[in-house]
Amino acid sequence: MKKIINHPNHVVSELLVGMAKAHPELKYTEKLEVISRKDKTKKKVGVVSGGGSGHEPAHAGYVGTGMLDAAVAGNVFSSPSPDRIIKGIEEANSGEGVLLVIKNYSGDIMNFGMAKDMAEMDDIRVESVVVKDDVAVPDSTYSTGRRGIAGTVFVHKIAGAKAETGANLDEVKAAAEKAIANIRSMGMAMTSCTLPAVGKPGFVLGDDEVEIGMGIHGEPGVERTTVKTAAEVAQILLDKILADYDYSNSEVALLVNGLGATPLMELYILNNEVEKILTEKGIKIHRTFVGNYMTALEMSGCSLTLMKLDDELKELLDAPCNTPALKIF
Amino acid sequence: MKKIINHPNHVVSELLVGMAKAHPELKYTEKLEVISRKDKTKKKVGVVSGGGSGHEPAHAGYVGTGMLDAAVAGNVFSSPSPDRIIKGIEEANSGEGVLLVIKNYSGDIMNFGMAKDMAEMDDIRVESVVVKDDVAVPDSTYSTGRRGIAGTVFVHKIAGAKAETGANLDEVKAAAEKAIANIRSMGMAMTSCTLPAVGKPGFVLGDDEVEIGMGIHGEPGVERTTVKTAAEVAQILLDKILADYDYSNSEVALLVNGLGATPLMELYILNNEVEKILTEKGIKIHRTFVGNYMTALEMSGCSLTLMKLDDELKELLDAPCNTPALKIF
C-alpha cells in the first residue's frame, strides 16, 4: 500500500490535526474528531455535516464563514458515532439551533438521528436534511434510497449562506431542502481505492474498464464498460441526470468533481464537453466549479452535479464564503 | 490508458477551453494556447509564466488579480514555442513592461529567451527570472542546474502582488528574485504518470517502491527506496532542504504540494509531521498551503517548499488575489 501515512489507525486524527495546523482559524476537538470554527461571535443557526473520512476536502474543508460551523469525521468510509456528532452540534450551536446536513447512508442516518434526539434532550433545537443526489441506482450497498454524493457540497453552501443572513432554523432548513430538491449527480470510476486499514484495493477494474454510476465508497454502479472519451462520459452521465430532472430552460450551477486521483487537466476537458451539451439543450450555466470537492481516497474518476437555481439559490450560491477548501491565497 | 480525454493531440486546447468556460474572467487565445486576464484596465507591470502542460492548475490556474496576467501552455511536459510566449507577453503588456517567470528547464530557458528578444524588438520591455528551487539534484534530465518545481507558485504570488502595487519592472523583478533566493523545495514520487500521446507509464516503480527527489516530469531523483511513513517522508525531504538553506530563526511560508493523485488526506497527515519538525527547530510557519499546486499529471507523491519571509515578502504573500486555482466560492 503506497500512502503517505504513519499508521492506518491514526489517519483521521492526524489528517485533522494537520488541517488545523494549516488553518489556524479551525478548532480541532481531539478524540471526538470534530473540526469547528474558532470565531463564533455571531448568533446564528449552526450548520453541521460530516460522515466517514476519505472524502477530503469534505467535510472539514468546508468549515468556515458562509458554509459549515462544524464537521464531524468518522473513520475512513465509516459513519461517526453519535457522541462525536453531539460534540459537533454543541460546537455549532449559538442558541439559534442547528441544521444537520446528512448524506444518505444508513449508518449516517442512524447516528445523526440518535445525536439529534440526544441534543434535543439537552434543549438544543436540531433539524436535519438528507442529501440523495446520486441518480445512478435506486438503492445501494450502504443506503436505502439514493446515495448522497458531491451535490452535498452545494447543500453546505446554500445552508451556510442562508444561516449567515440571520435566517431562523426553519428558513435555513427550507433553503437546504430546496437545494436538495434541485440537485442531481452521477459519477464514473476508473480505478479502485484502498482503505488504509485494509491495505489492498476494495475492488478491481480491468486495465481498459470503467464503472458508470459507481458510488464514492466503491459501491456498484450501473455498468462496467470500456474506457470512454470525455465526450462520451459527459453524454452518458448527463443523459441519466437530465432524464431524472427537468433542467430545460433553467439556470444551473455545475460541479465537475474529481474523485481524488483525476488530474485537473481531465476535469477541465470533461467540463468542455459538459458545457457543449448543456448549452445545446438551452440550459444556462450560471457558475461552474471544477476540482476535487468530494473524493473517494485515491480513486480516479469523476462526477457531475447540476443544481437548478432560482433567485434565492443564486444569491446564496454567490454569497461570500471562506473555508480551507475554497480559500483565496 | 485510463484518462478522461478525447484525443491525445487535443488535450491542451480542450483543457484550456474547458478552463475558460468555467472561469469567464479568463480569455483563451486559440492555437497559441494562452490564457490571460480579460480585465486589463489597470496600467501595471505584466507577469507571465508558463511551460509544458500537465502541471495543472499551473500555470493557467494562477492567472488572475494579484498573480499572473497570462500563462502560456506548451504540449504536455514540453516547452511552449516562442510565438506562443510572445502572445502571452502581448496580452500581459499594458505599457509598463513584462516579467517572465521561468522554471529552469532547458527548453523553457531557450524559448522564453527567444520570445523575450523578439518582444523587445517590438519595443516591449521584458525581464525574466528563473526558478531553480529543487534541491534534489544539481543537474537533471532537462535542466542545467537545479529544476524549477512547486516553489514557482510562490514566485507567481510574490511577483503578481508586487506588480499589483504599481511597482515598476525593476522592482517587480527584484521582489521575484528575492523570493527565488529564499525558496527551496524537494519532492518524492510514489507512482509514475502517463503522457497522453505515449499511452504508457514513463517509468515503473515497484509496488513497495518510492523515489526520493524525483522531478515533476519523472526525472530521476536521488534514491529509490521502500515506502516510508509520513514522519519519515517529512524528515527526509526537510533534512535536504534545511541543509541547503539556513531557515533557522526565521518565518517561512510552507507549501505541502500534491503531485496530482495524492489525496488531501495524506497531504494533511504529512503537514502534521512537517509542522512538528519545523517547530522543533524554531522555524516559525507564517502560512501553510496544502493541496495540488504544481502537479505531474496523475503522478502520486508530494513535494515540500519553504520560502523564508521578510516584511516585504510577508505583505506580498498575504495580499489579496483571486485566481481560478485559489478562489473563494
Side-chain angles (χ1 to χ4, degrees):
Chain A
M1 174 174 57
K2 285 186 174 177
K3 290 185 188 289
I4 307 173
I5 63 173
N6 291 309
H7 189 286
N9 291 354
H10 304 152
V11 293
V12 174
S13 56
E14 291 184 7
L15 135 75
L16 296 178
V17 174
M19 184 179 264
K21 284 178 177 175
H23 307 287
E25 67 277 17
L26 299 179
K27 173 184 170 184
Y28 168 61
T29 302
E30 218 179 324
K31 295 201 169 57
L32 292 171
E33 313 307 356
V34 171
I35 290 281
S36 55
R37 290 164 64 170
K38 276 189 190 159
D39 65 322
K40 284 184 293 192
T41 46
K42 200 172 171 181
K43 268 183 89 76
K44 61 177 265 305
V45 170
V47 183
V48 173
S49 192
S53 293
H55 306 299
E56 293 70 29
H59 301 82
Y62 299 115
V63 173
T65 318
M67 285 186 86
L68 303 180
D69 297 283
V72 187
N75 293 334
V76 178
F77 290 1
S78 164
S79 183
S81 53
D83 58 323
R84 294 186 182 188
I85 301 167
I86 288 169
K87 178 64 181 171
I89 292 171
E90 288 169 356
E91 286 293 330
N93 181 41
S94 63
E96 303 297 318
V98 171
L99 180 73
L100 304 178
V101 179
I102 309 168
K103 299 198 302 308
N104 188 37
Y105 297 101
S106 306
D108 286 337
I109 298 291
M110 187 175 73
N111 291 354
F112 277 84
M114 284 172 63
K116 177 175 184 290
D117 293 345
M118 290 158 80
E120 281 169 340
M121 286 190 283
D122 288 337
D123 288 327
I124 302 177
R125 203 184 146 209
V126 181
E127 292 286 345
S128 64
V129 296
V130 179
V131 186
K132 311 175 178 187
D133 55 323
D134 188 347
V135 301
V137 289
D139 292 288
S140 188
T141 319
Y142 312 114
S143 71
T144 304
R146 288 178 170 179
R147 302 176 293 226
I149 57 169
T152 309
V153 179
F154 281 152
V155 183
H156 294 163
K157 179 64 176 80
I158 296 301
K162 188 73 182 181
E164 208 69 51
T165 66
N168 67 31
L169 182 55
D170 291 333
E171 292 164 339
V172 174
K173 182 180 178 179
E177 294 279 25
K178 193 205 283 184
I180 289 170
N182 290 6
I183 292 173
R184 296 293 184 279
S185 301
M186 185 155 154
M188 180 207 53
M190 300 199 293
T191 66
S192 185
C193 60
T194 297
L195 270 74
V198 176
K200 58 179 189 179
F203 58 94
V204 176
L205 286 168
D207 279 350
D208 190 36
E209 199 177 38
V210 303
E211 183 154 341
I212 308 291
M214 178 167 278
I216 55 174
H217 312 92
E219 306 97 315
V222 288
E223 187 193 5
R224 287 208 177 179
T225 177
T226 53
V227 173
K228 302 292 178 198
T229 65
E232 289 166 339
V233 172
Q235 192 70 59
I236 291 167
L237 299 183
L238 285 179
D239 275 353
K240 192 101 192 222
I241 289 171
L242 298 177
D244 194 79
Y245 186 92
D246 185 9
Y247 287 99
S248 54
N249 303 313
S250 60
E251 265 191 279
V252 299
L254 164 65
L255 171 58
V256 180
N257 176 57
L259 294 180
T262 297
L264 208 44
M265 170 188 273
E266 297 175 33
L267 298 178
Y268 276 122
I269 290 172
L270 178 61
N271 180 54
N272 183 31
E273 301 300 332
V274 170
E275 188 271 351
K276 284 184 206 168
I277 295 170
L278 294 181
T279 302
E280 194 189 287
K281 290 191 183 292
I283 299 169
K284 185 164 181 280
I285 304 165
H286 172 63
R287 293 277 295 278
T288 303
F289 303 88
V290 179
N292 291 317
Y293 285 78
M294 176 73 76
T295 63
L297 294 168
E298 74 285 5
M299 197 183 280
S300 86
C302 62
S303 66
L304 300 180
T305 297
L306 295 183
M307 173 169 67
K308 182 175 173 170
L309 299 172
D310 62 9
D311 288 346
E312 183 195 20
L313 291 178
K314 202 190 284 188
E315 198 180 318
L316 294 172
L317 184 73
D318 293 344
C321 81
N322 191 0
T323 74
L326 303 153
K327 189 172 181 168
I328 53 171
F329 209 99
Chain B
M1 175 173 57
K2 284 185 176 179
K3 289 185 188 290
I4 307 173
I5 63 173
N6 290 309
H7 189 286
N9 291 354
H10 303 152
V11 292
V12 175
S13 57
E14 291 183 9
L15 136 75
L16 296 177
V17 174
M19 184 179 264
K21 283 178 178 175
H23 307 287
E25 67 278 17
L26 298 179
K27 174 184 170 184
Y28 168 61
T29 302
E30 219 179 325
K31 295 201 168 60
L32 292 171
E33 312 307 357
V34 172
I35 290 281
S36 55
R37 288 165 64 170
K38 276 188 188 160
D39 66 322
K40 284 184 294 191
T41 44
K42 199 172 171 181
K43 268 183 89 78
K44 61 178 264 308
V45 170
V47 182
V48 174
S49 192
S53 293
H55 305 300
E56 293 70 28
H59 302 83
Y62 300 115
V63 172
T65 317
M67 284 187 86
L68 303 180
D69 297 283
V72 188
N75 294 335
V76 179
F77 291 181
S78 163
S79 184
S81 53
D83 57 323
R84 294 185 181 188
I85 301 167
I86 288 169
K87 178 64 180 171
I89 293 171
E90 288 169 355
E91 286 293 331
N93 181 41
S94 63
E96 303 296 319
V98 171
L99 180 73
L100 304 178
V101 178
I102 309 169
K103 297 197 303 309
N104 188 37
Y105 297 101
S106 305
D108 286 336
I109 298 290
M110 187 175 74
N111 291 354
F112 277 85
M114 285 171 61
K116 177 176 184 288
D117 293 345
M118 290 157 79
E120 282 169 341
M121 287 192 282
D122 289 338
D123 288 326
I124 303 177
R125 204 183 146 210
V126 181
E127 291 286 345
S128 64
V129 295
V130 179
V131 186
K132 310 176 178 187
D133 54 325
D134 189 346
V135 302
V137 289
D139 293 286
S140 187
T141 320
Y142 312 115
S143 71
T144 304
R146 289 177 169 180
R147 302 175 295 224
I149 57 170
T152 309
V153 179
F154 281 152
V155 183
H156 294 163
K157 179 64 176 78
I158 297 300
K162 188 72 182 179
E164 209 69 51
T165 67
N168 67 33
L169 183 54
D170 292 333
E171 292 164 338
V172 174
K173 183 180 178 181
E177 295 279 24
K178 192 204 282 183
I180 290 170
N182 291 6
I183 292 172
R184 296 292 185 280
S185 302
M186 186 155 155
M188 179 207 54
M190 299 199 294
T191 66
S192 184
C193 59
T194 297
L195 270 74
V198 176
K200 58 178 187 181
F203 58 95
V204 176
L205 286 169
D207 279 350
D208 190 35
E209 199 177 36
V210 302
E211 184 154 339
I212 308 291
M214 177 168 277
I216 56 173
H217 312 92
E219 306 98 315
V222 288
E223 188 193 6
R224 287 207 177 179
T225 177
T226 53
V227 173
K228 301 293 178 198
T229 65
E232 288 167 339
V233 172
Q235 192 71 60
I236 291 167
L237 300 183
L238 285 179
D239 275 352
K240 192 100 191 221
I241 288 172
L242 298 178
D244 194 79
Y245 186 91
D246 185 8
Y247 287 99
S248 55
N249 303 312
S250 60
E251 266 192 279
V252 299
L254 164 65
L255 172 57
V256 180
N257 177 57
L259 294 180
T262 297
L264 207 43
M265 169 188 274
E266 297 175 33
L267 298 178
Y268 276 122
I269 290 172
L270 179 60
N271 179 53
N272 184 31
E273 300 301 332
V274 171
E275 189 269 353
K276 284 183 207 169
I277 296 170
L278 294 180
T279 302
E280 194 189 286
K281 290 190 182 291
I283 298 170
K284 185 166 182 280
I285 304 166
H286 172 63
R287 293 277 296 279
T288 302
F289 303 88
V290 179
N292 290 317
Y293 286 77
M294 177 73 75
T295 63
L297 295 166
E298 74 284 6
M299 197 184 281
S300 85
C302 62
S303 65
L304 300 179
T305 297
L306 296 182
M307 173 167 67
K308 182 176 173 170
L309 300 172
D310 62 9
D311 288 345
E312 183 194 20
L313 291 178
K314 203 189 286 188
E315 198 179 319
L316 294 171
L317 183 74
D318 292 343
C321 80
N322 190 358
T323 73
L326 303 153
K327 189 172 179 168
I328 53 171
F329 211 100

